[in-house]
Amino acid sequence: MLEELEAIHADAISAIAEMADIDGLEAFRVSYLGRKGRLTVAAARMKDIPKEDKPAAGKALNEVRNAITAAIGEKGESLQIAIDAKAAENVDVTLPGRLMHPGARHPISQILDRAVATLRRMGFSLASGPEIETEWHCFDALNTPPEHPARNESDTFYFEDGRLLRTHTSTVQIRTMETSPPPVRIIAPGAAFRRDEIDSTHLSHFNQLEGLYVDEGVSLAELKGSLEYLLRSIFGEKTPVRFRPHFFPFTEPSFEIDIMLEARGKASKWIEIAGCGMVDPDVFNAVNKARGDNAYAPDKISGFAFGLGLERLAMILWGISDIRLLIENDIRFLRQFP
Ligand code: PHE
């Protein structure tokens, strides 16, 4: 038995060495290890050998089977490598490549992601509100009286029931304070609508990012520090930021924020980028009235709010000359923001 196994082993190894193709190798495998293969047939005779010889014979049988299996595996691999190499010889490297078009985030989404990431690090959480709003949330609660021009039919989209498309995201300030007591620290990105004539700097449907922080002792210094940090995280660490006195009905004092921009080849100039201010006590009073308590007592708490136009941020950051490019979805334009 042992000699026979030895012979099978030797024959197999030399036959494998001479194999030149994968099909032949497979046929060889079947002829040795298959159901009627040489080794299988030899193994079947195990039952006839004397009991005391069985352990040694069994061990030898296993060794031979393992050795043949391993040799076939190795040979198969080297034959495959040869086949692959041959196939690669036929690749025509002069053919033009196939162009890949990986998708990319829209520039507005990219700006938003950056701003939200920075603000979240500063402890702000996301809030949202409806785009179809009541006059109360859009104007009255924000200390904007009935005669204010922003409420004019010609500035705002009204529905017949008196509701309207929100003209700014400041509505979310009111909704948040109506439902949660202080402290609140929220940001609300979202759509805003105005009856603006569409041109290179105006859309009737655009995107804002609102922020609100209310707690005991929130100061103007914190407003300045937070917004400087936010704007520099978007436009670069050294970007000069300035706060210019302004008026909003719902903040007092109010500011517009400008950043200094170095346009390529042109003189640097200040560009308006956001509105902000300390929440007007009348806004807290309106919220308290709606809540039916005094959670936002103007003598105990204070807060700051800000609003940024996302299209505007994108236009300034990437030097986009026409706001309409951002909604046309021309792939040649969008491809420039990978
Ligand atoms: N809501 C203002 C606008 O749309 C921006 C703003 C928000 C100003 C919050 C002050 C505070 O112009």
Side-chain angles (χ1 to χ4, degrees):
M1 182 80 185
L2 290 180
E3 292 94 76
E4 188 184 352
L5 288 173
E6 205 32 66
I8 293 175
H9 187 194
D11 289 353
I13 297 301
S14 65
I16 290 168
E18 271 162 32
M19 284 293 154
D21 66 276
I22 287 208
D23 291 344
L25 187 63
E26 173 59 14
F28 171 85
R29 191 188 64 77
V30 172
S31 72
Y32 269 71
L33 305 176
R35 221 152 29 89
K36 291 188 190 132
R38 210 174 142 190
L39 193 64
T40 317
V41 170
R45 282 203 303 278
M46 281 282 280
K47 62 181 186 324
D48 304 329
I49 62 175
K51 202 171 176 205
E52 62 274 20
D53 292 341
K54 271 191 184 163
K59 187 163 172 264
L61 178 68
N62 275 337
E63 280 169 6
V64 170
R65 186 186 287 120
N66 291 342
I68 295 176
T69 308
I72 291 175
E74 272 169 36
K75 185 71 183 182
E77 251 173 61
S78 68
L79 287 174
Q80 190 59 49
I81 288 171
I83 290 170
D84 291 348
K86 188 112 194 164
E89 277 172 22
N90 295 330
V91 171
D92 182 352
V93 292
T94 64
L95 279 177
R98 237 174 273 150
L99 215 52
M100 304 272 241
H101 293 298
R105 310 265 296 153
H106 190 278
I108 297 294
S109 304
Q110 293 191 32
I111 279 276
L112 181 58
D113 287 350
R114 282 200 213 181
V116 168
T118 303
L119 287 159
R120 288 186 87 122
R121 271 206 304 283
M122 293 162 71
F124 286 86
S125 51
L126 281 164
S128 64
E131 291 173 7
I132 299 177
E133 263 296 2
T134 60
E135 283 196 86
W136 163 261
H137 289 104
C138 199
F139 298 127
D140 300 283
L142 286 159
N143 198 30
T144 307
E147 67 278 7
H148 194 281
R151 299 180 69 143
N152 205 296
E153 287 273 335
S154 61
D155 281 299
T156 306
F157 296 101
Y158 285 93
F159 292 86
E160 270 165 19
D161 64 4
R163 288 183 306 160
L164 47 84
L165 293 180
R166 67 181 179 194
T167 57
H168 52 183
T169 44
S170 303
T171 54
V172 185
Q173 295 183 28
I174 303 301
R175 287 187 174 272
T176 304
M177 290 191 281
E178 278 177 354
T179 51
S180 338
V184 297
R185 203 197 295 235
I186 54 118
I187 42 173
F193 306 85
R194 289 183 201 169
R195 241 182 227 260
D196 274 335
E197 208 55 63
I198 295 180
D199 62 23
S200 65
T201 53
H202 295 86
L203 294 174
S204 53
H205 172 181
F206 55 102
N207 291 281
Q208 288 193 327
L209 174 68
E210 189 80 12
L212 174 70
Y213 175 32
V214 182
D215 200 352
E216 280 175 31
V218 175
S219 69
L220 186 53
E222 280 169 284
L223 165 61
K224 287 190 72 176
S226 305
L227 282 163
E228 267 172 15
Y229 180 71
L230 170 65
L231 292 171
R232 287 181 181 153
S233 81
I234 298 175
F235 291 100
E237 248 172 79
K238 299 216 167 69
T239 307
V241 178
R242 108 181 150 182
F243 289 70
R244 188 165 34 75
H246 194 70
F247 174 81
F248 295 104
F250 34 92
T251 45
E252 180 58 34
S254 305
F255 305 89
E256 276 188 336
I257 308 175
D258 302 333
I259 59 168
M260 172 88 90
L261 207 75
E262 285 162 37
R264 245 167 270 141
K266 287 193 220 141
S268 326
K269 57 175 182 196
W270 290 106
I271 297 191
E272 182 233 315
I273 197 133
C276 67
M278 301 304 291
V279 179
D280 193 297
D282 278 341
V283 173
F284 289 139
N285 290 332
V287 166
N288 286 333
K289 200 169 110 197
R291 293 175 56 92
D293 64 13
N294 200 27
Y296 286 87
D299 54 343
K300 288 220 187 70
I301 51 134
S302 56
F304 68 71
F306 59 90
L308 304 158
L310 294 178
E311 281 79 2
R312 200 171 158 75
L313 284 191
M315 288 173 76
I316 292 169
L317 183 63
W318 284 298
I320 299 167
S321 57
D322 192 320
I323 196 171
R324 290 166 291 199
L325 289 165
L326 290 166
I327 56 166
E328 280 166 357
N329 284 335
D330 185 329
I331 209 128
R332 291 166 300 178
F333 169 74
L334 293 176
R335 241 181 230 150
Q336 298 174 59
F337 307 91

